[in-house]
Amino acid sequence: MSERSEQLREKAKRAGRPRLSVVWMIYAREMMDQLRDRRTLFTIAVLPILLYPLVGMLLMQIAQFTQQHPTSICIVGTDHLIGDVPPLVKTETFVDGLTDNDERLELLCYTWNGVGRHDGVLNQAKNVKETTNNWVRDGIFDAVLVIPPKFADPQARSSDQEASMQLLYNVASDQSMVARDRLTGILSKWQSGWVRQRLETTGIDISLLAPFKLADIDIAPERTREAAFWSKLLPFIMLVWAMTGAFYPAIDLVAGEKERGTLETLLCSPALRSEIVWGKLGAVTTFSMMTAILNAGSMLVTSSFVFKQMGVGGGQVGSPPMVPMLWLLVALVPLSALFSALALAVAAMARSSKEGQYYLMPLMMVTLPLVLLPMLPGTTLTAGTSLIPVTGMFLMVRSLVEGQYAHALMYLPIVAAVTAGCLWLAVTWARRQFEDEAVLFGGGDQWELSQWVRHLWRDRQRAATPTQAFSCGAIILVALFFGKLVVTEMPTTFAGIAKLVMMPQIGMILAPTLMMATVLTTSLKHSLRIRLSNPLTLPIAVVFGICLHPTYVMLAGLVSYAYPISEQATAAMKPFTDQISSAPLMSVIFLMAVVPAICEELAFRGFIFGGLVRNRGKLRAIFVTAIMFGISHGVLQQSICATFMGLLLGYLALKTGSVLPGILIHMTNNTLSVSLERIAQSTHPAAQALVSSTGGGPEYNLVWVIASVAIASMCLFYFIRLPSVDEDAKADLVGNEEEFADPTAALSPA
Amino acid sequence: MIHVQHLTKTYDDLSRGKFVAVDRISFSVQPGEIFGLLGPNGAGKTTVLRILSTVLSSTSGIATVAGFDVSADPAEVRKRIGFVSNNTAIYDRMTAWEMVEYFGRLHGMPKKELTDRVETLFEQLRMNEFRDTPGAKMSTGMKQKVSIARAMVHDPPVLIFDEATLGLDVLVARNLLSVIRDLRESGKCLIFSTHIMSEVERLCDRIAIMHRGKILDSGTLSELRSRHSENDFEELFFGLLSNHESAENNELAHDVGAGI
Ligand SMILES: Nc1ncnc2c1ncn2[C@@H]1O[C@H](COP(=O)(O)OP(=O)(O)O)[C@@H](O)[C@H]1O
Ligand SMILES: [Mg+2]
């Protein structure tokens, strides 16, 4: 039996290896097929080549239109500029030296009485006010400067409200705002000239007015300044197009072929599923890259031309530096491949092109934030951001384009690892989709609510299905999100805090889990993975929990160093931490350790894990539960720590086949976290040997840290050595990879 | 050439739960023989033939094609079969020639041999008038010919036809049947599924009548006739079907009665 399975494994391995020649044949055919499609050609090649120049031309037209429209200003009451007032206007222009360099300025001057109707001096003020208001509102002038009669009186001028000049403008009009800015500039120049003149007449040295001079100089080399603009915009454009460029071919090559029936023709040919996936993935990636390059290139060329013509940005934008942009191409390859693999996997679920388009929208919504994030001001390449998929790559390319090679190189390993990991996951997903006959030949019948409900009830199984597990996780996360919105302020009593903790734990994590486990599965105990196959795991879990805590504290320290916690957040949490540190220890442990450990573990390492681990989803179960567990913590720093913790807990859940060790570790860990300070303050010799109180809070002693790491490693080793006892993972296996990897696993009694 | 034993396939279906589409069927087909799988729509014919062509995997039971197990050696099986079904369409944006040649290349045929083979096939099936017509512009009959050429390009010992005459006019259908007869003469092993009785009567050496996932009876035409003492094949077919249905319904009623 085992000899036969050994042979089978060898054979399957040999047979399952994709042959490059076949992959190439499929790739070439898919490429040719797409290139023969007029629609594809239009969207990837013709559209960008035409679109950008057209938009550019339009922009130039509009720009010309706005440029030809000069700023128009009116001054009313020029006859009041008398006496010691220095000259402001000549006929129809401002006096030399006051105006800015911009020629496009129209000035019209009226005397006080030159405006509107003349029915008596008394009413003239009102008359002027009305008329000038109308002028500005109707856009006859962009701005109007009114000089009232009292201005002529040197005494009143500086003190009387009624003597003040009035600048009328309209904030709703951009033109008017420009006019206002220009006019204010002119007036302030005029004013300082006046001050200068006065001081001179009184014999004061005017150099006193300016004790120093300031010259601001941008030291960034020419290239960086231009690159800064383009290095932000261009990757964004490229990524968005890489995404859209992947979507449409992916839909056509999978969902479209399913619809047209050609996929089955290919499936019954000697080509392996893996070869089909690689061939199609290659074609989609090529199209994604071509779309991105053509669009970005066309935009680059057009806009540099347009900007030069328009002289926008005072040469700051300028034409983009071409050579550094080549870095973009390097980054484009993996990102296009990533988007393509995702699009293929998603498109495989659809039965027709139309359905595929519905599916890709959510995918776009999920990926878009990763592309938008680097566009936010102040986002730079750091240890934190380099860990984020797509974003990290984007930021690294930006550094490269800006010529900060050393900086970029420093983060290259992280970014490369993250990108490679994501790519691997996406490709694996796509491959699995193509091996899943439910995905490829899914029933064509209509979905009906009542039928579905009946199906859920009738086909209940002992544990959750993967879909149910995903739904449970989604329900919990959404409930937590809305629960958070409800909490508006931190309670100040312990009872209030207890409510604050219990409500999400019991109402939003435990309740949905228990409800789904009761209704959707036949065995509550089994679906929550409450079982004990090896009693020794429990005490070892407690020891592990204790010895893991110093490492956990270190991890938390590292995380808050990489992503510092804002002072506001600390301040907001203050009432909470204060209450916790003053409440009775037992209640705190119950609230912060026992309740969360039970609720969260039953949900994440119980129901959800049990569902995800099925159908050879071991890795999926570990990673997805860890990420969900992380997100459920809400605060970024906690989320990161929790995700790491979740990975470990997930691994143990897999090895022990039970939720119980996880609960114990989780409980121990939280207990230590909330009571560490008290342990540090205690006079018990054991406590003092392990923990000491420092200014920055309690700290583990170095000796114990080292010892604990050693013991924790031993515990971990114990768990690694445990034979896999996961029934759920095995339940529905027929000759899968894991069985090949460990032929005896399937033979040992479950 | 083809051996099927206790083959079972269940689908996870939303409305019917675990649905048994093929229920422990067994049959075998020899070279130089046309085996007819006759059954109404939904009998499970397509499911059986998809399992034989390794596109679907079976739930239990054994199926071997040309000595290779369909679940253990799917790649070897696919090298030795040609599968034509109304679900295996041809590419819209490829010409007849390109299409047939592409699948020949996927089979790893050397270039020279492949060109000769495609020439012969095009001659044999009289496809030369539309060798450069793209799939989108072909008539149903032309498409069917391309599909057959595609399935035959590597000269497989086993050919599987799943309702291949569906949607063809009488002329084209007749032509197809004569092609299949020629294939039998050259010693191929053929499976032919249909819901049209006359085709089976005229073409097949042995027949299995399938209904609701089960094979109700199988044998040569004369065997069936004498066993059920019914000369009219149509009567025979409907008799078997209705007997089976009433038996199944009785069983169901019995189950329900026992439950209460
Ligand atoms: N992918 C699928 N999912 C669920 N049920 C299916 C699927 N494919 C076929 N069936 C069901 O299996 C039964 C047999 O189908 P099929 O083999 O296509 O029959 P036939 O080819 O004889 O008409 C039908 O009742 C059909 O509804
Ligand atoms: Mg059918």
Side-chain angles (χ1 to χ4, degrees), chain B residues 45-46 86 162-163:
Chain B
K45 307 179 296 288
T46 303
N86 52 335
D162 182 20
E163 311 225 20

Side-chain angles (χ1 to χ4, degrees), chain A residues 11 25 29 33 36 252 260-262 264-265 267 269-271 273 437 441 447 451-452 455 458-459, chain B residues 9 14-15 17 50 55-57 73 78 83 87-91 93-94 98 102-103 105 107 150:
Chain A
K11 211 167 194 176
M25 264 184 242
R29 197 213 74 82
D33 199 54
R36 282 182 181 174
D252 191 58
R260 296 189 292 268
T262 46
E264 195 171 336
T265 319
L267 288 178
S269 81
R273 302 275 166 108
E437 59 186 50
F441 297 96
W447 188 86
Q451 267 189 1
W452 182 65
H455 152 78
R458 185 188 49 214
D459 300 329
Chain B
K9 174 74 185 177
L14 197 61
S15 53
R50 273 181 174 165
V55 173
L56 286 182
S57 60
D73 288 311
R78 282 200 298 267
F83 183 47
N87 296 312
T88 51
I90 61 169
Y91 291 112
R93 297 187 282 263
M94 259 179 144
E98 285 170 338
Y102 173 58
F103 277 87
R105 275 189 291 135
H107 277 285
R150 185 264 305 158

